[in-house]
């Protein structure tokens, strides 16, 4: 057994489409994170913050974005394998969408670094549909 194997998730997933969705966006976000961090390609991040792509999207802000994206991905990855019957895990996943959605909405409406365009639409749609999805399915998954 490899040293880190004990912290990897199990290989089976239970309970409907939602956990698969969490797994999917988690994996996609890890690549997004790596893009900011390792490949140092800021082009995608600049599309998201397209109202101030060069002044506000700096190397540091992109790495910070990559850092919270990675943390968020880890929470959702755990959620993908553990939300069934686990209210705390389920709520943690909901919070990742509240925080992410709040960030994008505030960068759009308050801080004005985003415009309502293709770059913002992706993250905003993922956050809002996931939030609605998780709220409406909460009873099915955790019974409260
Ligand atoms: C940002 O990172 C790029 C790629 O590593 C580098 O070429 C550039 O000099 C950096 N910019 C600043 C302001 O440090």
């Amino acid at each position: 057994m490899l040293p880190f194997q004990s912290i990897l998730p199990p290989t089976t997933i239970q309970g409907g489409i939602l956990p698969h969705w969490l797994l999917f966006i988690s994996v996609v976000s890890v690549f997004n994170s790596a893009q900011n961090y390792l490949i140092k390609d800021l082009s995608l991040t600049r599309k998201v913050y397209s109202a101030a792509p060069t002044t506000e999207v700096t190397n540091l802000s992109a790495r910070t974005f990559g850092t919270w994206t990675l943390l968020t991905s880890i929470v959702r990855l755990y959620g993908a394998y553990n939300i069934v019957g686990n209210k705390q895990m389920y709520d943690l996943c909901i919070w990742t969408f509240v925080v992410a959605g709040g960030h994008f909405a505030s960068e759009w409406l308050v801080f004005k670094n985003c415009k309502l365009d293709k770059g913002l639409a992706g993250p905003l749609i993922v956050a809002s549909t996931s939030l609605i999805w998780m709220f409406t399915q909460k009873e099915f998954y955790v019974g409260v």
Side-chain angles (χ1 to χ4, degrees):
M1 192 161 137
L2 295 167
F4 57 84
Q5 219 159 18
S6 63
I7 62 165
L8 292 178
T11 48
T12 54
I13 212 166
Q14 291 180 314
I17 306 167
L18 182 59
H20 291 88
W21 168 249
L22 290 175
L23 179 63
F24 172 71
I25 52 171
S26 172
V27 170
V28 169
S29 302
V30 168
F31 283 109
N32 193 344
S33 189
Q35 189 171 35
N36 282 302
Y37 236 102
L38 305 174
I39 312 165
K40 298 178 190 164
D41 175 7
L42 306 190
S43 60
L44 203 86
T45 309
R46 294 206 152 117
K47 286 204 177 84
V48 175
Y49 303 95
S50 62
T54 47
T55 53
E56 296 293 330
V57 181
T58 63
N59 290 347
L60 174 61
S61 84
R63 284 194 300 272
T64 308
F65 184 79
T67 304
W68 73 256
T69 302
L70 183 60
L71 266 175
T72 298
S73 298
I74 293 170
V75 173
R76 291 172 188 167
L77 181 68
Y78 272 75
Y81 292 93
N82 296 291
I83 52 170
V84 180
N86 187 335
K87 184 185 179 294
Q88 286 78 14
M89 189 74 246
Y90 199 93
D91 288 350
L92 264 179
C93 286
I94 288 182
W95 278 112
T96 68
F97 295 115
V98 172
V99 171
H103 169 73
F104 291 120
S106 67
E107 288 302 325
W108 169 32
L109 300 168
V110 181
F111 303 111
K112 315 273 188 204
N113 291 319
C114 297
K115 292 183 294 205
L116 193 56
D117 57 11
K118 245 166 67 182
L120 180 64
L124 211 53
I125 289 170
V126 167
S128 53
T129 54
S130 301
L131 202 52
I132 293 166
W133 192 354
M134 290 205 76
F135 266 119
T136 54
Q137 292 302 307
K138 196 171 177 192
E139 198 178 322
F140 173 77
Y141 281 100
V142 296
V144 271

